Amino acid sequence: MEYHGVEGHSNLLRDPENDSIVNVDSIGYQKYIARRKSKDIKNQKVQNIEQEVASMKEDIDEIKNLLKELLNGPKWHRTKKSF
């Protein structure tokens, strides 16, 4: 199959059978793949940090509740009537 050049674009070829355009710039494609992989790694790091922050917030809330309980006594003790 013989491809035809696309005017003004040295890295693009046109397939005469179905009129599609093919990019033959393999170096550009490799750079794109590397950028996409780097972006995916950064996004994963951000997601991990967000999960860690959420976990830390839950831990802080739990610590706050435990401290309140230490200061005020357990909830069941405050609400239970003495006999």
Side-chain angles (χ1 to χ4, degrees):
M1 178 182 332
E2 185 177 319
Y3 292 100
H4 303 287
V6 175
E7 188 177 324
H9 300 279
S10 61
N11 60 333
L12 299 178
L13 299 176
R14 183 174 300 278
D15 183 346
E17 288 185 16
N18 58 20
D19 213 29
S20 65
I21 294 179
V22 178
N23 187 341
V24 292
D25 181 10
S26 61
I27 294 172
Y29 179 72
Q30 290 172 354
K31 288 179 181 179
Y32 161 75
I33 294 296
R35 284 191 313 268
R36 188 177 71 182
K37 184 177 180 180
S38 175
K39 185 178 177 183
D40 288 344
I41 289 170
K42 286 179 184 177
N43 286 340
Q44 185 62 46
K45 286 180 181 180
V46 169
Q47 284 181 338
N48 289 344
I49 290 170
E50 287 175 347
Q51 289 173 348
E52 287 178 18
V53 168
S55 176
M56 290 169 68
K57 282 182 175 182
E58 290 175 7
D59 291 344
I60 289 171
D61 284 342
E62 185 178 351
I63 291 169
K64 283 170 47 177
N65 288 334
L66 289 170
L67 286 172
K68 286 178 186 177
E69 196 172 303
L70 277 173
L71 291 173
N72 300 326
K75 289 181 184 178
W76 64 270
H77 182 68
R78 286 183 281 143
T79 59
K80 191 174 181 180
K81 293 183 180 179
S82 302
F83 290 99

